[in-house]
Amino acid sequence: MRKSKVLAKIRSGEVARLCAMGSFLPYFPRLANAAGFDGIWVDGEHKPFTARETQALIAFHHLADIDCLWRPPTREKNGLYRILEDGATGLIISHVGSAAEAQAIVDAAKFPPLGDRGLDGAGFDAEFGKNGGASYPADANRETALFVQVETPQALAQVEAIAAVAGVDGIFLGPGDLSLRLGCKPDATDPVMADVHRQLAVACSRHAKVWGRPVANQTDLDLVLAAGAGFVVFGGEFRMIQNALADCGKALDRALEKRAATG
């Protein structure tokens, strides 16, 4: 089966480079690969994707040879491993608040003896039966990335126990939700958030795991990397389009004002 670029980077001690998308854009995986990204965080939690759109978008990731890390709107066990059978490289699960919740995610995403995932062997991840033999469960366990999101103070208090769960590859900080609950800014420059980074770094280091988060600018990127993040999400299609349209609108304003002034 296809090997995960994100996990390969993490296992070699390098920083995995992710970007984000929440829209059905078939060209985006190819452009992200050309820009040097290892994977894409696809947000199916807040953005709607039909089952066929999910299958198609994951297939476009395979064509581009870039990891697809899907954040689903459900924790339903069969629903989670169906996404993996459709070819997703891994899962990002939101609002995981305890080791027990993390273990339930591992049970859904990993085969025995690590988890309790149901076996099919005829999906995209098993090359439609071509790699559905004896090695398939072990291959899938090795190459399926699993990140759980810490997004509440209660989860932060349990982060070491969450990081200790076998089968969890890393802790994904949700700075928006956590900052909302801590009463701070999501920026890495905020002292409260900087302390969160330190807590994550310590917990993950003790259990040979990695942590990471989305960043919005160069300053945050530099600070998060300095704090020891093993992966970062930098760049997403929504902000890119929003910013580009704003720039175009400003350029049109200037051009039209100039024409009006010259009569």
Side-chain angles (χ1 to χ4, degrees):
M1 66 185 301
R2 181 182 175 276
K3 294 184 178 181
S4 167
K5 291 184 175 181
V6 169
L7 289 179
K9 282 282 186 74
I10 289 171
R11 288 164 181 166
S12 67
E14 299 178 75
V15 175
R17 297 156 47 127
L18 304 176
C19 55
M21 66 184 300
S23 308
F24 185 77
L25 301 175
Y27 57 81
F28 196 85
R30 181 66 186 88
L31 298 182
N33 175 278
F37 288 92
D38 303 303
I40 301 173
W41 162 29
V42 183
D43 185 11
E45 178 192 8
H46 296 293
K47 304 298 189 293
F49 291 93
T50 67
R52 291 297 181 231
E53 286 175 337
T54 299
Q55 289 177 315
L57 194 55
I58 293 171
F60 281 116
H61 282 73
H62 278 259
L63 287 171
D65 191 25
I66 190 169
D67 285 15
C68 178
L69 301 178
W70 201 279
R71 182 166 71 172
T74 180
R75 291 195 198 178
E76 191 269 325
K77 182 177 179 181
N78 304 64
L80 293 182
Y81 63 67
R82 275 290 305 275
I83 296 171
L84 299 175
E85 290 170 348
D86 284 339
T89 312
L91 300 172
I92 296 172
I93 306 299
S94 62
H95 284 273
V96 175
S98 68
E101 291 182 32
Q103 184 60 60
I105 302 303
V106 172
D107 286 346
K110 304 283 186 172
F111 290 112
L114 193 56
D116 193 43
R117 176 181 166 183
L119 178 65
D120 178 38
F124 200 146
D125 66 331
E127 300 177 43
F128 302 109
K130 183 179 178 182
N131 187 30
S135 69
Y136 165 60
D139 292 343
N141 278 357
R142 184 184 64 251
E143 300 301 332
T144 297
L146 184 58
F147 297 102
V148 296
Q149 286 198 259
V150 167
E151 303 183 83
T152 67
Q154 294 78 14
L156 186 61
Q158 297 293 316
V159 68
E160 187 161 339
I162 294 170
V165 174
V168 170
D169 293 296
I171 304 297
F172 192 120
L173 171 63
D177 274 305
L178 187 57
S179 63
L180 181 65
R181 289 156 176 80
L182 291 178
C184 67
K185 295 180 180 179
D187 306 35
T189 53
D190 189 288
V192 175
M193 193 56 64
D195 186 59
V196 170
H197 296 165
R198 286 190 288 272
Q199 292 180 61
L200 295 182
V202 170
C204 289
S205 177
R206 285 175 178 167
H207 298 285
K209 304 295 173 67
V210 296
W211 71 277
R213 57 161 286 175
V215 295
N217 52 59
Q218 186 71 51
T219 299
D220 274 11
L221 176 61
D222 292 340
L223 289 172
V224 167
L225 290 176
F231 64 93
V232 288
V233 182
F234 190 28
E237 98 287 356
F238 179 79
R239 293 299 181 197
M240 292 175 188
I241 293 171
Q242 183 184 50
N243 292 338
L245 286 174
D247 289 343
C248 290
K250 291 175 183 176
L252 281 166
D253 287 342
R254 290 192 297 268
L256 293 172
E257 287 170 2
K258 182 178 179 179
R259 187 180 75 166
T262 57

